């Protein structure tokens, strides 16, 4: 009996996120089935709105009570613009769990922030074949930092952990803990002062909403978490 509280305390301490003060967006996607509420558990308490056919689903979540479910009907969620969440010249990490049912011809714009044709900035795109590509720009009319750098490939009906991060001027991407060096390119990422669009995008022309699930979406500004092979998290991202 004496050892039980100590064991619990050690488990809690082990699960702390030493970079939590840098977390700028944290969506656990938990709640009741069919809900359109996606609270941000980061310090920013960012306002998140839903457009189209995005809801919570209590079926087949990766962690917790639910996950994000999209049905491929041009929906998305928007995390409101916050100056403390700008990529700019910072180190950063974008990561999420994803489980597509299928990927339509338009693909999926899974995490993006830019103005079409005038202020290209940042986009993580998934092709019909499940290839994850990274697009990064300084804010002009071309993807002049990275243009379709291949992060890896995901499969339908399988949960995969995906990350993209920058350390200095070097970009890294991972699927399932296997890290790829995407290149070293200088340049401050543009800032369109727009929301982050997740699981789909309003930006024409396409790509569109995921037909499938996402869970535990996290943006960390100031820290490149994954620059070498690692084991994906076995528990939900902590709130402390």
């Amino acid at each position: 009996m004496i050892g039980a509280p100590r064991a619990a305390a050690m488990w809690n301490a082990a699960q702390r996120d030493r970079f939590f003060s840098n977390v700028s967006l944290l969506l656990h996607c938990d709640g009741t089935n069919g809900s359109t509420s996606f609270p941000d558990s980061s310090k920013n308490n960012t306002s998140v709105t839903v457009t189209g056919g995005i809801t919570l689903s209590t079926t087949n979540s990766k962690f917790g009570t639910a996950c994000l479910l999209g049905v491929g009907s041009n929906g998305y969620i928007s995390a409101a613009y916050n100056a403390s969440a700008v990529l700019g010249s910072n180190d950063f990490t974008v990561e999420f769990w994803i489980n597509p049912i299928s990927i339509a011809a338009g693909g999926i714009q899974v995490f993006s922030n830019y103005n079409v044709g005038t202020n290209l900035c940042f986009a993580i795109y998934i092709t019909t074949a499940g290839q994850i590509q990274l697009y990064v720009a300084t804010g002009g009319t071309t993807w002049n930092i990275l243009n379709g750098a291949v992060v890896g490939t995901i499969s339908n009906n399988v949960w995969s952990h995906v990350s993209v991060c920058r350390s200095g001027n070097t970009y890294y991407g991972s699927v399932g803990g296997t890290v790829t060096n995407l290149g070293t390119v200088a340049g401050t990422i543009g800032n369109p002062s727009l929301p982050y669009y997740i699981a789909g995008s309003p930006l024409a022309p396409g790509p569109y909403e995921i037909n499938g699930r996402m869970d535990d979406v996290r943006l960390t500004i100031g820290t490149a978490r994954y620059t070498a092979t690692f084991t994906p998290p076995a528990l939900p991202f902590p709130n402390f």
Side-chain angles (χ1 to χ4, degrees), residues 44 46-47 78-87 113 190-196:
N44 288 338
T46 304
S47 174
S78 323
Y81 173 77
N82 186 311
S84 70
V86 170
L87 302 179
N113 175 247
N191 174 18
S193 301
L194 288 174
Y196 286 111

Side-chain angles (χ1 to χ4, degrees), residues 99-127:
N99 184 354
I101 297 169
S102 64
I103 303 176
I108 308 166
Q109 195 109 293
V110 71
F111 192 101
S112 60
N113 175 247
Y114 66 88
N115 278 322
V116 177
T118 59
N119 195 0
L120 301 181
C121 300
F122 186 85
I124 302 173
Y125 170 66
I126 305 177
T127 71

Side-chain angles (χ1 to χ4, degrees), residues 180-191:
T180 300
N181 185 322
L182 302 178
T184 300
V185 189
T188 298
I189 299 173
N191 174 18

Side-chain angles (χ1 to χ4, degrees), residues 4 9 43 46 68 78 81-82 98 114 158 177 185 198 213 225:
K43 63 184 184 300
T46 304
L68 178 155
S78 323
Y81 173 77
N82 186 311
I98 188 166
Y114 66 88
V158 174
V185 189
I198 300 164
R213 294 171 166 80
R225 291 179 182 266

Side-chain angles (χ1 to χ4, degrees), residues 13-25:
Q15 300 312 315
R16 286 185 181 274
D17 179 6
R18 62 194 178 102
F19 302 121
F20 186 76
S21 62
N22 291 342
V23 174
S24 293
L25 181 69

Side-chain angles (χ1 to χ4, degrees), residues 15-210:
Q15 300 312 315
R16 286 185 181 274
D17 179 6
R18 62 194 178 102
F19 302 121
F20 186 76
S21 62
N22 291 342
V23 174
S24 293
L25 181 69
L26 177 55
L27 307 181
H28 288 299
C29 305
D30 287 337
T32 58
N33 196 59
S35 171
T36 56
S37 175
F38 289 83
D40 174 23
S41 297
S42 80
K43 63 184 184 300
N44 288 338
N45 192 28
T46 304
S47 174
V48 178
T49 58
V50 174
T51 300
I54 300 287
T55 64
L56 292 176
S57 170
T58 54
T59 301
N60 193 26
S61 63
K62 177 62 182 178
F63 298 119
T65 60
C67 60
L68 178 155
L69 175 66
V71 295
S73 61
N74 302 342
Y76 54 91
I77 64 175
S78 323
Y81 173 77
N82 186 311
S84 70
V86 170
L87 302 179
S89 59
N90 298 302
D91 289 358
F92 67 85
T93 304
V94 177
E95 59 187 309
F96 50 85
W97 288 86
I98 188 166
N99 184 354
I101 297 169
S102 64
I103 303 176
I108 308 166
Q109 195 109 293
V110 71
F111 192 101
S112 60
N113 175 247
Y114 66 88
N115 278 322
V116 177
T118 59
N119 195 0
L120 301 181
C121 300
F122 186 85
I124 302 173
Y125 170 66
I126 305 177
T127 71
T128 303
Q131 186 182 83
I132 300 170
Q133 300 175 347
L134 178 61
Y135 294 81
V136 187
T138 56
T141 59
T142 62
W143 296 105
N144 60 341
I145 296 179
L146 291 175
N147 187 357
V150 177
V151 173
T153 302
I154 60 172
S155 299
N156 292 337
N157 301 302
V158 174
W159 279 108
S160 298
H161 178 267
V162 175
S163 76
V164 167
C165 63
R166 179 177 63 188
S167 176
N169 290 325
T170 302
Y171 291 80
Y172 300 88
S174 74
V175 176
T178 300
V179 173
T180 300
N181 185 322
L182 302 178
T184 300
V185 189
T188 298
I189 299 173
N191 174 18
S193 301
L194 288 174
Y196 286 111
Y197 299 116
I198 300 164
S201 170
L203 305 172
Y208 302 114
E209 174 193 331
I210 184 175

